[in-house]
């Protein structure tokens, strides 16, 4: 359907006009007849095109989630019916349901057709979905993608023919490595793209009709999704070129649908509306990982007991004070206040902060995919679910307290922005302010903001937006632009200057009729005012912070304040009355709810020191791990999230420590844990020493430098050479032993600061720069052998110098030069084991180099998770819960495929080989620990 540019550049590139053989025609039904143009070249046969499709899919698959659970079978069923009306051939068509935050469908080479969950949610019938799939099949039939890749292979690589699967993978890697050299080859002319879409639409009408689907559903769905509102242009608009491309396309669709003979319409195929609606609802509500578990060689599998409680991100009382919600990275828990206990929980992965409705009867939330849910507190069930389809790129969003309205601030390519409020249930616009803000005067910064906005994950990050607690008003502000909307009337209202001056930095509603905002130099002229009238209630000096309102009571929540994540300001007393180390917090009159250090939730009275009540939340999945360590004998496991960490005895499956979060960890052969605990209250940052057998702990090396990181038993500190100097040049890197606190070595970098990686198990450290940096130039100039290798590089632009040293002594070990095709990719990290350097790049690839020769010996798609020095096995992750294994000793060559693959039922949080490479330890996000026999894994199916 291609409503807007897909998210990966090489998906974007493969839409181009071409030709196809005739379709199978019914008797009396003329089939579309597309003949190849003599000017078009295709170097791929059908088998080669499928191999190309596999390469492209491996390249981009980490950026999205393909759902191959049974819920996706319906997409394949519809696609198979359409394919049955195509000419016979060797192409194997696959119709895949994919989870990305846009309503779209697209095609990769080799018969892969992807349709997003959001697009399914936007359809109203099976006919509409079949029309979308038919359109994508049109691109396949016309061979748009092999034509486009034939062009790219020729223009970028000078390649005019391809061979077997290995050859195609190698050439696709070469394309990625050289694309920046011929950036102009990526451009697609608007006319070519439009012609391609119209040709695909023509196929879609015919194919849908022959397969028993209503061809009129194709323009109907396009009209709704592209928001053309039935407009197809006029003769006057056409004459002067005023008709929009979307309207032109709709006009052509309608013409094609009306011109289609009735003899082309096959026997009715669409499922009953109620059956389709039931399936669509299941797709919309799907929260699974997306694939089925497939494991081998499992020696041990245990769920960590008890689990590590995920960090609480958000706490809120209900407006009536009877309930509390607690939210972590993946779940929302609804609790009663008296008694303080859990009522129910529901999944809310990657959700923005949930909220109670104004009547306290529901909980609503949404995520960056604009997936909105409403849950009844009394019934403890979901009572509403919508997927909002907005074609524009919403940079900032805000959901009304009742979950019925969604505000979207969208940037356009001309750097103007629109502000729109949508009805969640229907998707209808109830208010719009065009050209609300213009970035044109901000120059390159504005352009960067626009690009970042395409994948913005923040809630109201660029433009500050908020609905009043009763949902009557909507406020938005950025710079000198302010707007207030009376939601019921769908029109703007004027605000007095006393309100407008408080909207420039941070503001929040303290109730339906009160507003607090920061104003003046360093917040010195902040205030609380009546809203919307603007009468001043009290002047405040709030400093430079972010403000929020308590659910009930005369308090302002400040995040952060001094050394604390949160401070509570008593408005009447105009002073901070309490502070909290965690930002998740709420207060209702004289009672407040907060997270305790041990992970429990506590209900407190502001008048008492002790908690009124406490409770522990059930197991939830792990979020991002800040630190992780496994003992060499696999007896002890330590992991930490942002605020909380834990240590388990894996032999007994017993959690022996549940502590505040640490930032680094190492477990020695003697069972000692060395962990980097940040500053907390009176405790200074230090490397704590913990005897895991005796459970005795003591403080260790003190760390004062902010730019210090623990990598296993190494502490790496980057210090400016001059006091208060910059950190990007003229620095000293100091490495210490985390166990003893002993200084190991220091190295000065008087010019550019290098990027750094530490290989903990191998005891090596990598510094890397682009070769045009002065630091790299000095290294090359002062090393004749390195300079000779540098002079022999074919393409120096964008190349990297990698300097490898012994992390224990700082002694140089090896130097590596990596070409990038004039910046076609960048290095993200470098790790070593033995004679091999494993490089992760920004094209979702793992590159393996032999240090002794400096030659690249292997490359594959995905991120390297672990490398076994003794067995030469490389473990790569390329998708949530998926691991692939490569035998580097048996697979010499540029591009190669995995020897074995494993699929876990939850995303991978940690993977580590044993010293002999015969075992692999895996920890998944659902807090399940696996021990795998690699001999059994690698021997399977041989």
């Amino acid at each position: 359907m291609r409503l807007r540019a897909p998210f990966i550049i090489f998906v974007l590139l493969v839409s181009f006009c071409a030709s196809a053989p005739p379709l199978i025609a019914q008797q009396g039904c003329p089939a579309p007849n597309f003949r190849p143009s003599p000017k078009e070249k295709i170097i791929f046969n059908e088998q080669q095109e499928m191999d190309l499709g596999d390469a492209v899919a491996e390249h981009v698959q980490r950026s999205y989630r393909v759902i191959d659970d049974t819920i996706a079978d319906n997409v394949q069923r519809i696609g198979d019916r359409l394919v049955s009306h195509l000419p016979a051939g060797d192409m194997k068509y696959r119709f895949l349901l994919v989870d990305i935050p846009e309503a779209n469908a697209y095609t990769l080479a080799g018969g892969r057709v992807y349709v997003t969950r959001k697009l399914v949610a936007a359809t109203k019938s099976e006919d509409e979905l079949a029309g979308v799939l038919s359109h994508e099949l049109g691109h396949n039939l016309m061979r748009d993608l092999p034509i486009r890749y034939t062009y790219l292979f020729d223009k970028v690589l000078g390649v005019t023919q391809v061979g077997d699967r290995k050859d195609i993978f190698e050439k696709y890697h070469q394309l990625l490595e050289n694309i920046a050299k011929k950036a102009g080859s990526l451009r697609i002319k608007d006319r070519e793209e439009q012609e391609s879409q119209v040709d695909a639409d023509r196929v879609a009408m015919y194919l849908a009709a022959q397969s028993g689907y209503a061809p009129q559903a194709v323009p109907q769905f396009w009209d709704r999704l592209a928001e053309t509102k039935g407009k197809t242009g006029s003769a006057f608009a056409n004459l002067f070129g005023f008709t929009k491309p979307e309207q032109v396309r709709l006009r052509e669709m309608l013409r094609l649908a009306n011109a289609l003979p009735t003899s082309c319409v096959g026997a009715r195929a669409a499922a009953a509306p109620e059956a389709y609606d039931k399936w669509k609802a299941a797709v919309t509500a799907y929260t699974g990982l997306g694939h089925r578990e497939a494991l081998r060689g499992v020696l041990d599998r245990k769920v960590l007991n008890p689990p590590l409680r995920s960090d609480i991100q958000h706490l809120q009382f209900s407006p009536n004070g009877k309930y509390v919600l607690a939210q972590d990275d993946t779940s929302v828990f609804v609790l009663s206040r008296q008694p303080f206990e859990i009522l129910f929980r529901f999944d809310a992965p990657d959700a923005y902060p949930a909220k109670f409705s104004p009547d306290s009867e529901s909980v609503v939330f949404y995520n960056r995919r604009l997936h909105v849910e409403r849950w009844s507190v009394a019934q403890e069930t979901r009572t509403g679910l919508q997927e909002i389809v907005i074609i524009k790129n919403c940079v900032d969003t805000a959901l009304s307290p009742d979950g019925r309205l969604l505000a979207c601030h969208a940037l356009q390519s001309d750097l103007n922005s629109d502000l729109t409020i949508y009805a969640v249930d229907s998707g209808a616009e109830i208010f719009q302010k065009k050209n609300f803000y213009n970035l044109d005067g901000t120059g390159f910064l504005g352009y960067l903001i626009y690009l970042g906005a395409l994948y913005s994950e923040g809630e109201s990050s660029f433009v500050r937006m908020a609905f009043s607690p009763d949902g009557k008003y909507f406020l938005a502000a950025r710079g000198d632009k302010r707007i207030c909307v009376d939601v019921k009337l769908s029109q703007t209202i004027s605000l007095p200057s006393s309100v407008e001056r408080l909207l420039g930095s941070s503001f929040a509603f303290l109730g339906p009729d009160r507003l607090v905002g920061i104003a003046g130099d360093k917040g010195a002229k902040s205030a609380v005012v009546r809203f919307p009238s603007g009468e001043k209630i009290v002047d405040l000096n709030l400093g430079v912070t972010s403000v929020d309102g308590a659910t009930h009571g005369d308090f302002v929540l400040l995040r952060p304040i001094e050394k604390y994540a949160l401070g509570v300001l008593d408005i009447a007393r105009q002073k901070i009355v309490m502070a909290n180390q965690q930002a998740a917090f709420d207060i209702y009159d004289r009672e407040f709810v907060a997270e305790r250090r041990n992970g429990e939730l506590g209900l407190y009275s502001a008048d008492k020191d002790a908690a009124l009540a406490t409770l522990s939340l059930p197991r939830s999945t792990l979020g991002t791990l800040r630190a992780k360590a496994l003992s060499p004998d696999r007896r002890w496991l330590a992991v930490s999230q942002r605020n909380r960490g834990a240590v388990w005895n894996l032999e007994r499956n017993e959690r022996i420590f549940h502590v505040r979060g640490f930032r680094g960890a190492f477990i020695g052969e003697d069972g000692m844990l060395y962990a980097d605990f940040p500053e907390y209250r009176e405790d200074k940052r230090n490397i704590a020493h913990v005897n895991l057998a005796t459970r005795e702990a003591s403080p260790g090396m003190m760390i004062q430098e902010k730019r210090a990181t623990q990598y296993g038993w190494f502490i790496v500190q980057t210090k400016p050479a001059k006091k208060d100097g910059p950190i990007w040049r003229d620095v000293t890197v100091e490495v210490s032993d985390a166990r003893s606190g002993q200084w190991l070595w220091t190295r000065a970098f008087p010019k550019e600061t290098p990027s750094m990686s530490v290989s903990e198990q191998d005891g090596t450290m990598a510094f890397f720069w682009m070769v045009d940096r002065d630091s790299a130039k000095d290294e090359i100039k002062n090393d004749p052998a390195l300079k000779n290798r540098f002079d022999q590089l074919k393409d120096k632009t964008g190349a990297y110098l990698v300097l490898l040293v012994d992390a224990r002594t700082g002694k140089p070990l090896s130097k590596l030069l990596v070409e990038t095709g004039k910046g076609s990719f960048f290095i993200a990290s470098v790790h070593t084991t033995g004679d091999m350097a494993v490089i992760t790049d920004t094209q979702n690839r793992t590159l393996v180099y032999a240090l002794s020769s400096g030659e690249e010996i292997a490359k594959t798609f995905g991120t390297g998770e672990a490398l076994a020095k003794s067995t030469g096995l490389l473990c790569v992750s390329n998708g949530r819960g998926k691991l692939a294994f490569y035998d580097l000793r048996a697979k010499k060559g540029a591009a190669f495929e995995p020897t074995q693959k494993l699929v876990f039922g939850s995303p991978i949080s940690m993977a580590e080989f044993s010293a002999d490479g015969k075992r692999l330890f895996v920890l998944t996000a659902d807090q399940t620990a696996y021990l795998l026999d690699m001999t059994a894994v690698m021997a399977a199916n041989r």
Side-chain angles (χ1 to χ4, degrees):
M1 188 62 66
R2 288 178 182 81
L3 298 177
R4 54 192 172 116
F7 47 93
I8 294 291
I9 189 168
F10 275 88
V11 178
L12 170 70
L13 296 179
V14 292
S15 177
F16 202 69
C17 65
S19 305
L23 297 170
I24 301 174
Q26 292 180 188
Q27 188 173 1
C29 174
N33 188 21
F34 298 99
R35 294 296 180 187
S37 167
K39 296 181 180 180
E40 300 288 8
K41 296 180 181 179
I42 305 176
I43 62 174
F44 303 91
N45 60 34
E46 288 190 335
Q47 180 57 57
Q48 290 170 329
E49 183 184 342
M50 287 189 285
D51 292 335
L52 174 65
D54 289 344
V56 178
E58 287 192 26
H59 174 208
V60 303
Q61 70 184 20
R62 193 176 183 86
S63 300
Y64 55 80
R65 177 177 57 153
V66 172
I67 300 172
D68 59 11
D69 276 353
T70 55
I71 197 170
D73 293 347
N74 207 32
V75 179
Q76 186 68 43
R77 176 188 65 80
I78 297 170
D80 287 343
R81 182 175 182 87
L82 298 170
V83 170
S84 68
H85 293 273
L86 299 182
D90 296 328
M91 187 72 69
K92 296 179 181 178
Y93 291 96
R94 283 164 284 185
F95 299 86
L96 304 161
L97 185 63
V98 64
D99 193 11
I100 59 174
E102 61 180 32
N104 210 341
Y106 54 93
T107 300
L108 295 187
R112 278 185 170 87
V113 175
Y114 294 85
V115 59
T116 69
R117 284 203 309 143
K118 202 168 191 68
L119 185 136
V120 171
T123 61
K124 292 185 176 180
S125 67
E126 184 174 312
D127 294 88
E128 291 187 347
L129 179 56
V132 172
L133 299 182
S134 296
H135 174 93
E136 297 306 322
L137 280 173
H139 287 294
N140 269 281
L141 287 169
M142 294 182 294
R143 306 204 71 194
D144 284 357
L145 293 108
I147 288 174
R148 183 61 179 160
Y149 275 107
T150 295
Y151 170 81
L152 288 172
F153 275 35
D154 182 17
K155 294 298 182 182
V156 177
L157 303 178
V159 169
T160 57
Q161 64 180 12
V162 292
D164 59 11
R165 181 181 179 87
K166 180 181 178 181
D167 179 63
I168 291 170
F169 266 72
E170 288 180 355
K171 286 182 169 57
Y172 184 74
H173 276 287
Q174 292 170 18
L175 181 65
L176 297 180
E177 293 165 355
N178 290 277
I179 200 69
K181 294 180 179 179
K182 300 288 183 69
S185 302
L186 305 181
R187 300 190 185 99
I188 303 174
K189 297 179 182 178
D190 290 341
R191 179 60 183 163
E192 293 171 339
E193 174 67 11
Q194 291 174 26
E195 290 177 351
S196 173
Q197 299 295 354
V198 171
D199 286 345
D201 288 337
R202 185 177 295 114
V203 173
M205 301 293 177
Y206 177 85
L207 189 56
Q210 272 208 324
S211 303
Y213 295 104
Q216 294 80 10
V218 180
Q220 288 172 1
F221 184 57
W222 174 256
D223 183 33
R224 192 170 68 253
L225 205 59
E227 299 178 352
T228 46
K229 300 179 180 179
K231 296 179 180 179
T232 59
S234 64
F236 179 83
N238 296 340
L239 179 63
F240 291 97
F242 293 157
T243 306
K244 295 180 180 180
E246 295 85 357
Q247 296 173 348
V248 173
R249 187 170 167 192
L250 175 62
R251 183 176 65 214
E252 184 64 16
M253 284 182 180
L254 291 170
R255 186 190 68 79
L256 291 170
N258 293 331
L260 198 66
T262 56
S263 57
C264 291
V265 180
R268 184 70 178 151
E274 57 271 16
Y276 184 80
D277 288 345
K278 182 178 179 180
W279 173 74
K280 185 176 76 170
V283 170
T284 305
Y286 182 81
T287 58
L289 187 62
H291 53 242
R292 304 170 181 91
E293 185 177 86
L295 300 177
R296 298 181 297 277
V298 178
L299 296 173
D300 188 27
R301 179 199 315 228
K302 55 171 65 82
V303 177
L304 297 180
N305 181 43
L308 175 63
R309 256 275 1 124
S310 293
D311 296 329
I312 298 300
Q313 308 293 333
H314 176 58
L315 290 167
Q316 186 187 51
F317 284 101
S318 61
N320 63 8
K322 293 182 178 181
Y323 308 104
V324 176
L325 71 78
Q327 183 175 0
D328 62 19
D329 288 335
T330 59
S331 307
V332 171
F333 302 87
V334 180
L335 302 79
S336 61
R337 181 177 171 188
Q338 293 180 352
F340 193 53
E341 61 185 21
I342 298 171
L343 299 178
F344 65 101
R345 69 161 294 279
F346 54 85
D347 293 329
D350 304 319
Y352 294 130
K355 60 188 73 176
F356 285 101
S357 59
D359 59 10
S360 301
E361 294 181 358
S362 301
V363 174
V364 297
F365 78 88
Y366 76 117
N367 59 27
R368 67 182 298 257
R369 293 175 173 83
L370 305 187
H371 171 100
V372 182
E373 293 190 18
R374 180 181 295 104
W375 287 74
S376 167
V377 175
Q379 300 174 25
E380 301 183 3
T381 58
R382 183 171 53 209
T383 55
L385 185 153
Q386 282 87 25
E387 286 277 353
I388 308 174
V389 178
I390 299 175
I391 306 307
K392 303 164 186 173
N393 296 303
C394 294
V395 184
D396 310 296
T397 55
L399 187 69
S400 65
D402 60 6
R404 302 189 184 281
L405 299 174
L406 183 119
C408 163
H409 170 241
L411 284 179
Q412 310 300 334
S413 58
D414 61 359
L415 299 185
N416 273 309
S417 71
D418 298 338
L419 193 61
T420 310
I421 301 177
Y422 296 89
V424 168
D425 57 351
S426 66
E429 295 180 7
I430 70 162
F431 172 84
Q432 185 174 70
K433 171 64 176 176
K434 284 191 168 294
N435 301 325
F436 171 69
Y437 193 82
N438 188 285
L439 282 170
D440 192 43
T442 59
F444 185 65
L445 174 60
Y447 181 68
L448 292 178
I449 293 172
Y450 169 70
L451 292 180
L454 296 179
Y455 304 103
S456 171
E457 298 190 14
E459 183 189 35
S460 290
S461 56
F462 182 64
V463 168
R464 293 171 295 283
M465 305 193 300
F467 286 90
S468 60
D470 57 4
K472 288 181 61 177
Y473 298 102
F474 169 76
L475 269 180
R478 170 72 188 186
D480 60 353
K481 299 292 185 180
R482 287 104 162 87
I483 191 170
C484 181
V485 180
D486 184 314
V487 174
K488 186 175 182 179
L489 299 177
S490 297
Q491 65 185 32
T492 60
I493 65 171
S494 297
L495 293 174
S497 59
S498 57
V499 174
E500 286 206 344
R501 74 178 187 85
L502 299 177
L503 305 180
S505 177
S506 177
F507 65 86
F509 285 97
L510 300 181
D513 63 346
R514 294 191 305 163
L515 181 130
V516 61
I518 294 179
D521 185 31
K522 297 183 179 180
K525 295 184 179 181
S526 305
V528 177
V529 297
R530 292 290 176 194
F531 185 86
S533 59
E535 292 92 351
K536 185 183 297 181
I537 297 175
V538 63
D539 288 319
L540 298 172
N541 185 347
L542 298 180
V544 181
T545 185
S546 175
V547 296
D548 200 359
T551 294
H552 199 270
D554 287 338
F555 301 98
V556 176
L557 306 183
L558 308 175
R559 298 183 177 94
I561 180 169
E562 296 180 353
K563 295 183 179 181
Y564 294 89
L566 174 136
V568 179
L569 176 81
D570 186 315
I571 297 174
R573 297 163 62 187
Q574 298 192 37
K575 64 179 296 186
I576 302 296
V577 294
M578 67 179 77
N580 199 51
Q581 286 291 344
Q582 280 76 46
F585 183 96
D586 196 17
I587 190 166
Y588 196 97
D589 293 336
R590 302 298 296 173
E591 289 188 7
F592 62 91
V593 60
E595 188 178 12
R596 295 159 62 89
R597 289 181 62 181
N598 62 4
E600 295 179 338
L601 286 185
L603 181 67
Y604 297 86
S605 169
D607 304 317
K608 298 180 180 179
D609 293 333
L612 300 175
T614 62
L615 60 81
S616 296
L617 297 175
R619 175 188 303 273
S620 191
T621 56
L622 291 172
T624 301
L625 293 184
R626 296 292 184 92
K628 51 194 175 185
L630 181 71
S631 64
D633 59 4
R634 299 180 298 281
R635 181 183 180 188
W636 309 103
L637 171 68
V639 300
S640 177
Q641 298 185 116
R642 185 182 65 255
N643 294 324
R644 192 172 303 108
V647 182
W648 289 268
N649 181 320
L650 293 176
E651 291 180 348
R652 298 198 299 265
N653 195 18
E654 173 189 8
R655 192 180 70 194
I656 63 170
F657 284 111
H658 194 213
V659 296
R660 64 185 178 93
F662 44 90
R663 299 296 177 263
F666 172 75
I667 304 176
E669 295 182 355
D670 57 357
M672 289 290 295
L673 167 67
Y674 305 89
D676 177 8
F677 282 90
E679 183 176 356
Y680 182 78
R681 294 182 180 176
E682 302 305 320
D683 296 333
K684 301 298 182 181
R685 182 182 178 186
N686 75 101
I687 304 298
H689 295 192
V690 184
N691 187 316
L692 299 179
T694 64
R695 307 190 186 185
E696 296 175 331
S698 60
M701 173 184 176
M702 306 299 293
I703 300 178
Q704 297 181 348
E705 179 59 51
K706 293 181 179 180
R707 291 164 290 272
T709 305
Q710 179 181 4
Y711 300 96
W713 61 273
F714 302 103
I715 302 295
V716 179
Q717 302 184 68
T718 304
K719 302 178 179 180
K722 299 177 182 178
K723 185 179 180 181
D724 300 324
I727 200 64
W728 56 87
R729 63 179 295 114
D730 195 13
V731 300
T732 298
V733 174
E734 181 178 295
V735 179
S736 304
D737 188 329
R739 300 166 298 183
S740 64
Q742 180 182 357
W743 167 84
L744 297 176
W745 56 277
T746 300
R747 178 164 180 156
F749 293 95
K751 296 179 180 177
E752 298 91 349
T753 304
S755 298
M756 291 176 277
S757 293
V758 177
S759 303
E760 302 167 18
Q761 289 185 320
D762 215 44
T764 59
M765 188 170 180
F767 300 108
F768 51 100
W769 313 258
M770 286 188 175
V771 294
D772 62 352
R773 302 297 188 262
D774 290 338
S775 294
K777 290 179 180 178
D778 290 345
E779 290 286 341
I780 294 169
K781 181 177 64 176
N782 296 327
D783 186 330
L786 179 63
K787 186 177 186 308
N788 182 56
R789 287 158 49 199
F790 175 74
D791 291 339
Q792 295 177 25
L793 287 183
K794 296 179 181 178
D795 195 341
K796 299 178 177 61
T797 303
Y800 280 88
L801 168 65
V802 180
L803 173 62
L804 297 162
V805 303
D806 188 323
R808 290 157 292 204
T809 64
K811 179 181 178 181
L813 297 175
S814 182
K815 296 176 183 178
L816 188 66
L817 292 168
V818 179
E819 293 184 71
T820 68
K822 291 187 176 179
S824 296
F825 65 90
F826 303 98
I827 291 179
S829 66
V830 181
H831 294 280
T832 67
T833 183
D835 184 48
M836 290 179 286
V838 179
I839 296 175
T840 298
D841 74 6
T842 53
Q843 287 281 14
N844 184 36
R845 299 189 305 165
T846 296
L847 316 176
V848 184
Y849 284 79
L851 295 176
S852 55
S853 64
E855 295 180 356
E856 182 184 274
I857 60 174
K859 69 181 73 172
T860 189
F861 294 110
T863 301
E865 293 287 340
L867 180 60
K869 176 179 178 180
S870 53
T871 60
L873 285 182
L874 172 65
C875 173
V876 170
S877 173
N878 195 17
R880 300 202 308 172
K882 297 181 179 181
L883 291 180
F885 299 90
Y886 299 81
D887 188 340
L888 296 178
R889 295 181 301 184
K891 297 282 186 179
K892 301 291 184 182
F896 64 107
E897 296 192 69
T899 305
Q900 297 296 340
K901 294 182 179 181
L902 297 178
V903 181
F904 293 81
S906 183
I908 308 296
S909 295
M910 177 182 181
E912 186 174 307
F913 281 113
S914 60
D916 60 8
K918 295 181 179 180
R919 301 285 186 268
L920 178 71
F921 174 84
V922 175
L923 176 66
T924 52
D926 62 358
Q927 305 201 48
T928 302
Y930 298 82
L931 187 63
L932 304 176
D933 180 349
M934 290 310 302
T935 300
V937 169
M938 301 303 291
N941 300 324
R942 283 187 174 178

